[in-house]
Amino acid sequence: MRDSLPRSNSHGRAPGTAARARIEEAALDLFAERAFHEVRLDEIARTARASLQTIYRHYGDKQALLDACVLKWANALAARMTDHLAGIETYKDRLRKVFWVVLDFFEQNPKVARMILGSVYPGAMRYDVTDQQRQLTNMFLEVLAEGRERGILNDQVSEAILLDYFYGVLARLIQMQSLRQQEPPLTDQVNVLFDMLWRAIAKP
């Protein structure tokens, strides 16, 4: 795993934090505008007011920079989801909350949605998931497994397939919302959208 996160120095502060922040913000802006292969590192460096040497020193190459940007926002989403799930007891409401959190996150961060849709391809990411993301995925799989065991969710497929359905619908909704733009916000339609998904994964 490439170490794309800053290491703390003896004073407890990460070296180059300001430069990294500028570089990742510039990368987000450019990857949100154009596909990964259309963005050059020298453009990112110029937009970030940084040298190419600084980018190479912190990230190594363009793919590693994209990985770091996606990882940063994936961690932010995982943290939000974990916070919002705390204290929700009703099974269906837990899944509805996950659904809403993801839609709301990408509505609040449209550049992140465009970056992921335009530049992230299956199997292209080279980083390992963080412990936080792994724990979140495992927790959600456990929630889906519980639903199958309790006879709430379809038990003719595995919880992994249920997870694919759940995230697949979210990914398509977010993708098309980003392209259409003129549609009402997805969060305004969350109840009807979730109920459509619920009918697909609930036990017949």
Side-chain angles (χ1 to χ4, degrees):
M1 172 182 173
R2 174 177 279 102
D3 183 6
S4 61
L5 299 178
R7 298 185 184 278
S8 296
N9 59 22
S10 59
H11 299 289
R13 297 192 328 190
T17 300
R20 291 179 68 95
R22 292 199 312 273
I23 291 167
E24 290 177 12
E25 185 64 30
L28 173 62
D29 287 343
L30 292 170
F31 288 139
E33 292 175 358
R34 305 201 304 279
F36 175 78
H37 68 277
E38 296 176 348
V39 177
R40 302 191 312 273
L41 272 181
D42 64 320
E43 290 181 89
I44 297 173
R46 185 168 59 252
T47 303
R49 305 186 311 281
S51 67
L52 277 173
Q53 289 78 7
T54 298
I55 294 180
Y56 286 127
R57 182 169 68 252
H58 285 302
Y59 303 97
D61 58 24
K62 186 172 70 169
Q63 181 65 52
L65 173 54
L66 174 64
D67 291 355
C69 291
V70 174
L71 181 60
K72 169 186 173 181
W73 290 102
N75 281 337
L77 175 57
R80 277 197 66 189
M81 199 176 296
T82 301
D83 289 342
H84 278 282
L85 284 175
I88 299 178
E89 297 182 0
T90 303
Y91 185 84
K92 186 175 180 180
D93 285 344
R94 273 189 284 169
L95 293 189
R96 189 191 305 273
K97 179 59 76 170
V98 170
F99 191 79
W100 176 85
V101 166
V102 175
L103 292 180
D104 181 68
F105 179 85
F106 285 108
E107 281 184 9
Q108 298 301 320
N109 301 283
K111 288 182 182 179
V112 179
R114 293 197 298 271
M115 174 182 69
I116 292 174
L117 293 170
S119 295
V120 178
Y121 311 105
M125 303 306 291
R126 297 190 306 209
Y127 62 78
D128 294 329
V129 295
T130 64
D131 287 341
Q132 184 179 42
Q133 293 169 28
R134 187 178 297 107
Q135 289 168 6
L136 179 65
T137 297
N138 290 339
M139 179 184 69
F140 197 27
L141 285 171
E142 289 173 3
V143 170
L144 295 173
E146 176 193 346
R148 292 174 69 248
E149 292 168 3
R150 292 172 53 188
I152 299 173
L153 299 183
N154 193 321
D155 57 4
Q156 294 180 306
V157 296
S158 69
E159 53 266 26
I161 295 296
L162 293 175
L163 182 67
D164 290 342
Y165 262 67
F166 197 94
Y167 281 154
V169 168
L170 278 169
R172 178 64 177 179
L173 287 171
I174 293 165
Q175 177 187 41
M176 296 312 298
Q177 180 75 356
S178 178
L179 293 175
R180 291 172 180 144
Q181 296 183 342
Q182 79 277 8
E183 294 291 321
L186 293 173
T187 49
D188 287 356
Q189 310 167 72
V190 67
N191 287 330
V192 65
L193 293 174
F194 176 76
D195 286 343
M196 292 168 65
L197 173 59
W198 179 259
R199 289 194 294 271
I201 64 175
K203 186 168 184 176

